[in-house]
Amino acid sequence: NRTGRVFSLIFKAKKIVLPVSQRTRFQKPFGKLWPVGMDELVKLGELVKLEFNQPTPLTITVGDIVTQAFIKLNLPISLSIIDFRSQRQPIKQNFHKNLLKNFSYINKARNQPGTLTLALIEKLHALMLKIIFTRQKQVLEVSGEEDLAVLPVVLLAPLASLVFYGQPNQGVVKIRVTEKVKEKTYQLLQRFK
């Protein structure tokens, strides 16, 4: 940040865990909630396209359903983070065939539910750098759970990047990465053990 705090140092442990007592704080949308269902793809597409009126270094989708919606709408994605689950229920492996057929290599990382592992953080950071320097789109398949990946993504992404994720039974959440959002994310991550 502007005072010299290196945000990524919060991830120096091999794994940080979200205490059970803090989990309700993370069930609220972290960003602007668009109350659109996946049956309202046209409306979602219009909302997303308006966001591209500003420069956007990276566009990141976290979650299988949001990623699939972006693919159906032919919206740009720099990085997709998926786990072949929706609301903790397995989805078919061919669910992402349109996404996966465009990639000869799918990046993988392990991440247990309710945690953020160093392996996941390091992979996210490496993939973002690769995208920035090579402009190659990337997919990260998480073995375990990808829900909390939104936090390190926001903290590590370049300013003005866009992050989208699904809020179960409510809609899609949009986060425009700003200095204020990074500070808020850092504060939330301090609740982890």
Side-chain angles (χ1 to χ4, degrees):
N1 70 5
R2 290 180 187 258
T3 62
R5 178 185 296 143
V6 179
F7 291 127
S8 62
L9 291 180
I10 200 164
F11 303 120
K12 60 187 173 215
K14 283 205 177 271
K15 171 171 77 170
I16 59 175
V17 179
L18 178 61
V20 174
S21 63
Q22 297 293 319
R23 293 196 179 172
T24 56
R25 291 183 187 268
F26 291 84
Q27 292 172 349
K28 298 176 188 162
F30 180 64
K32 180 167 178 54
L33 175 66
W34 289 337
V36 293
M38 291 305 115
D39 56 335
E40 301 174 277
L41 287 180
V42 173
K43 184 177 178 184
L44 176 62
E46 291 168 359
L47 290 168
V48 172
K49 286 175 185 172
L50 288 173
E51 292 298 321
F52 292 115
N53 290 333
Q54 298 178 41
T56 305
L58 297 180
T59 303
I60 302 165
T61 58
V62 180
D64 295 74
I65 305 301
V66 169
T67 297
Q68 191 62 27
F70 270 61
I71 292 165
K72 285 182 179 177
L73 292 166
N74 201 28
L75 295 168
I77 306 171
S78 309
L79 172 61
S80 297
I81 304 166
I82 59 174
D83 66 356
F84 290 101
R85 295 185 161 295
S86 176
Q87 296 185 32
R88 303 193 185 201
Q89 299 301 312
I91 57 177
K92 297 176 182 170
Q93 287 291 327
N94 69 351
F95 184 75
H96 291 303
K97 67 180 178 184
N98 289 332
L99 174 68
L100 301 177
K101 74 178 181 183
N102 294 315
F103 294 88
S104 59
Y105 180 75
I106 305 300
N107 302 279
K108 297 187 181 208
R110 297 182 74 68
N111 192 69
Q112 296 88 9
T115 67
L116 289 168
T117 60
L118 187 57
L120 175 68
I121 307 302
E122 288 175 341
K123 184 63 79 171
L124 287 169
H125 190 239
L127 290 176
M128 284 189 227
L129 289 174
K130 187 173 186 176
I131 295 164
I132 290 166
F133 291 113
T134 67
R135 302 257 188 250
Q136 292 177 349
K137 298 175 186 179
Q138 300 291 321
V139 175
L140 177 61
E141 180 186 336
V142 177
S143 175
E145 188 176 281
E146 97 293 48
D147 298 3
L148 293 173
V150 168
L151 297 169
V153 161
V154 168
L155 208 57
L156 298 171
L159 291 173
S161 294
L162 284 169
V163 180
F164 297 92
Y165 72 93
Q167 187 72 21
N169 305 314
Q170 294 183 48
V172 174
V173 178
K174 179 231 27 165
I175 303 168
R176 173 74 69 173
V177 178
T178 64
E179 290 180 46
K180 184 177 178 181
V181 169
K182 283 183 180 272
E183 289 291 343
K184 182 179 175 184
T185 305
Y186 185 81
Q187 298 305 318
L188 285 171
L189 283 165
Q190 287 187 322
R191 297 178 183 278
F192 284 65
K193 300 284 182 210

